[in-house]
Amino acid sequence: MSLQIFILGLLSNHDYHPYDVKKKIIRDTRNMVNVTDGNLYYNFEALLKKGMIKKSQVIQSDNRPDKITYSITPKGQDTLKEEIYKTFRNAKSIKSLIVALPFVEKVDINKLIFYVEEVIERFSKRLVEIEEYAITADSDSNIQQYRLLMREFSYENMNLEIKMFNKLLLLLKSQKREDEEK
């Protein structure tokens, strides 16, 4: 659904041809979202069949295939919001939010703040588990060294995720304050 979130998010602002969507996805995510012509057109077709988008304009020209632009439907708007919330609620890493972050203005910031706080709490508990993990004695000292390495990696990675989610939380709270001042 991640590519579909991006498609719906872009179409919620403007009508686009699929190729223009592809260019924006590549540019905006710096190639972090895999988008090929095949999966792009497949996802456009899937969204069209589900009634989340519709053809908005068909431009016909001689010697070329029709150029079709698409727009989002009310069902697509609702789905976009649901999927943004779901992406935040089920975040496994900061990177997993890359498709939802550009469209946070489409949803209730308070809900996102709540979900990010839950993620931070979940990750903090996991960090404590990693800290408390006792390396069991093993007769093979090489295996013990690999276990220590993996523990250190897990610990450092979880610390980085918590740090980045805390930064995201600050951004969301700042956005909330700005919205309240308007």
Side-chain angles (χ1 to χ4, degrees):
M1 185 64 173
S2 64
L3 183 55
Q4 291 182 6
I5 292 171
F6 220 101
I7 292 169
L8 291 172
L10 289 173
L11 293 178
S12 70
N13 294 325
H14 191 274
D15 294 357
Y16 285 105
H17 179 272
Y19 182 71
D20 296 325
V21 169
K22 179 181 177 182
K23 288 191 304 189
K24 289 185 86 43
I25 292 171
I26 290 169
R27 186 194 71 218
D28 293 352
T29 68
R30 301 183 200 255
N31 278 331
M32 292 179 79
V33 173
N34 182 30
V35 58
T36 64
D37 289 344
N39 69 7
L40 179 71
Y41 284 97
Y42 170 83
N43 280 285
F44 263 86
E45 278 301 312
L47 291 169
L48 190 61
K49 286 179 184 175
K50 294 176 185 174
M52 293 181 203
I53 63 173
K54 64 182 180 182
K55 294 178 182 180
S56 61
Q57 185 178 17
V58 178
I59 302 168
Q60 298 175 337
S61 79
D62 297 336
N63 304 328
R64 297 191 70 164
D66 293 347
K67 182 177 180 179
I68 302 170
T69 58
Y70 295 86
S71 60
I72 194 168
T73 64
K75 181 179 179 181
Q77 294 280 6
D78 293 341
T79 300
L80 173 62
K81 290 176 184 176
E82 291 168 18
E83 290 300 321
I84 290 171
Y85 290 138
K86 183 178 172 183
T87 301
F88 270 76
R89 189 173 50 248
N90 300 327
K92 303 284 188 246
S93 68
I94 200 76
K95 185 179 176 182
S96 68
L97 300 178
I98 194 161
V99 296
L101 286 172
F103 310 110
V104 296
E105 77 279 356
K106 307 286 182 195
V107 296
D108 181 356
I109 293 289
N110 290 315
K111 283 187 179 182
L112 298 184
I113 289 170
F114 176 77
Y115 293 141
V116 170
E117 288 173 339
E118 281 189 332
V119 169
I120 292 169
E121 184 179 328
R122 188 172 71 237
F123 283 14
S124 295
K125 287 178 182 177
R126 178 69 182 124
L127 187 64
V128 169
E129 290 172 8
I130 293 169
E131 289 172 335
E132 292 174 348
Y133 177 71
I135 303 294
T136 56
D138 199 309
S139 59
D140 188 341
S141 63
N142 284 336
I143 292 174
Q144 188 73 358
Q145 294 303 312
Y146 294 127
R147 286 182 181 166
L148 288 170
L149 175 68
M150 291 311 299
R151 177 178 177 238
E152 182 178 350
F153 171 79
S154 297
Y155 181 83
E156 295 299 329
N157 189 53
M158 192 58 62
N159 259 331
L160 179 59
E161 290 291 345
I162 292 168
K163 178 181 175 182
M164 300 313 309
F165 273 97
N166 275 311
K167 284 186 175 189
L168 174 58
L169 184 61
L170 289 174
L171 287 171
L172 291 171
K173 287 181 176 181
S174 174
Q175 180 65 45
K176 178 183 173 183
R177 280 191 297 279
E178 288 176 21
D179 291 348
E180 289 171 347
E181 290 173 2
K182 290 181 184 179

